[in-house]
Amino acid sequence: MAAPVHAQAPVAQTSLRADTLALFDAVGMEESFAIMVDTGRRDAGALADSLFPRRDGQGWAQMVDRLYTPTALRRTFVDAFPEDRMSVARAREILDFFTSDIGQRVVEGELTAWRAITDPEVEAAAIALYEQRQADGDPRIDLLSRMIASNDFVDLNVMAALNSNYAFLLAMSDGGAYERPIAQDTILRRVWQEEPRIREEATRWLYAFQLMAYDNLTDAELEAYIAFSESGAGQAYNSALFAGFDAVYTEMSGRLGIAAAQFMTGEPL
């Protein structure tokens, strides 16, 4: 998904250009990290129910809280962010859009929707709404299809999910969670077997999320956002953003896999 949200604090003191840091502030990276932390902790809690239901739940929760912090996610994102994909001129175009009235309402809408849809009940209701509006032939769905296609959102989300799953399973194997280590090609095959299901779920989620996120935009305003997304500046922004987020999800999944293996085998955390 695109990086929704509005922040009140600088992302980090780094060697990144000032215009890049200003862009991070405009699109709300700090709040993005906060949402990712909350989601990561919740998902890790659900993971414990399936992997080690009879182990100390409080001990696992404390470990996960130490693992998932805004600082950890921020550092990984900043280190991986390919700033060179955005020239100074491109960064200026991107910043101009996201500091405009439409851009700020896009940010606000995406933040609100992302935070809300982390609730499973809200997600289910949003998907049901998307399916109904699709069946009704709602023209807004066609606009969202253009947005999703022009940014390769489905493929990028599927790639991120596959990378994360692979990193988690490989770390579990390397960490001694199984009686014998699992070969990397075996893990890769297992991960790819899930690709059709992941693609279907990612597609539904993207439409449901965007219906919520852009509900406060008129069709003309959504057309303007799509035009920006299809521009060279919009494409550069989306490409760089996904590279940073993919690094975060992959890195955190690997760390979680190592921790889970240690927890399962009784090794000290």
Side-chain angles (χ1 to χ4, degrees):
M1 56 189 284
V5 297
H6 183 72
Q8 294 78 36
V11 169
Q13 297 299 318
T14 72
S15 59
L16 292 177
R17 300 190 315 247
D19 57 355
T20 300
L21 295 177
L23 173 60
F24 286 171
D25 185 60
V27 300
M29 290 308 308
E30 287 298 323
E31 180 64 11
S32 292
F33 299 141
I35 294 173
M36 293 167 71
V37 164
D38 291 344
T39 304
R41 289 175 176 177
R42 182 203 66 198
D43 292 346
L47 185 68
D49 295 336
S50 61
L51 289 183
F52 28 81
R54 290 180 293 277
R55 293 292 303 276
D56 176 19
Q58 184 175 0
W60 173 248
Q62 291 173 346
M63 176 269 150
V64 169
D65 286 348
R66 293 195 300 270
L67 183 65
Y68 279 91
T69 67
T71 299
L73 272 62
R74 183 188 305 115
R75 182 183 301 112
T76 301
F77 179 87
V78 170
D79 288 346
F81 188 77
E83 187 182 46
D84 59 344
R85 296 186 190 179
M86 299 188 306
S87 66
V88 173
R90 288 291 195 215
R92 182 73 254 175
E93 289 182 65
I94 299 165
L95 187 59
D96 284 347
F97 176 82
F98 281 111
T99 54
S100 69
D101 175 67
I102 292 178
Q104 283 296 287
R105 285 192 290 122
V106 164
V107 167
E108 180 183 358
E110 288 181 342
L111 165 60
T112 302
W114 192 8
R115 177 67 77 177
I117 208 169
T118 59
D119 182 325
E121 292 185 4
V122 173
E123 179 181 354
I127 290 173
L129 176 62
Y130 152 63
E131 292 173 341
Q132 182 61 55
R133 292 178 70 169
Q134 182 187 44
D136 293 342
D138 188 336
R140 176 57 66 110
I141 300 299
D142 292 335
L143 289 177
L144 298 182
S145 294
R146 282 179 51 199
M147 169 71 78
I148 290 170
S150 67
N151 290 285
D152 294 327
F153 279 154
V154 173
D155 285 344
L156 288 171
N157 276 273
V158 170
M159 178 191 70
L162 294 175
N163 288 343
S164 295
N165 291 350
Y166 177 79
F168 177 78
L169 292 174
L170 182 62
M172 285 271 287
S173 177
D174 290 345
Y178 311 115
E179 187 173 333
R180 285 180 290 183
I182 302 176
Q184 292 186 21
D185 59 341
T186 300
I187 294 175
L188 190 60
R189 283 197 302 272
R190 290 183 181 179
V191 168
W192 270 101
Q193 287 173 354
E194 295 296 308
E195 195 273 350
R197 177 188 61 80
I198 291 172
R199 180 171 295 275
E200 181 180 351
E201 291 178 355
T203 301
R204 287 202 305 266
W205 188 95
L206 282 164
Y207 278 102
F209 164 75
Q210 291 191 353
L211 274 174
M212 294 175 62
Y214 310 137
D215 185 59
N216 65 337
L217 300 180
T218 67
D219 285 352
E221 289 169 337
L222 183 54
E223 288 270 15
Y225 186 27
I226 293 171
F228 165 76
S229 296
E230 293 174 340
S231 70
Q235 293 287 300
Y237 167 72
N238 185 62
S239 172
L241 199 70
F242 262 92
F245 276 121
D246 184 47
V248 170
Y249 284 120
T250 300
E251 175 70 18
M252 296 308 295
S253 293
R255 294 182 187 180
L256 188 65
I258 292 173
Q262 293 174 331
F263 205 78
M264 291 172 68
T265 58
E267 293 295 326
L269 299 176

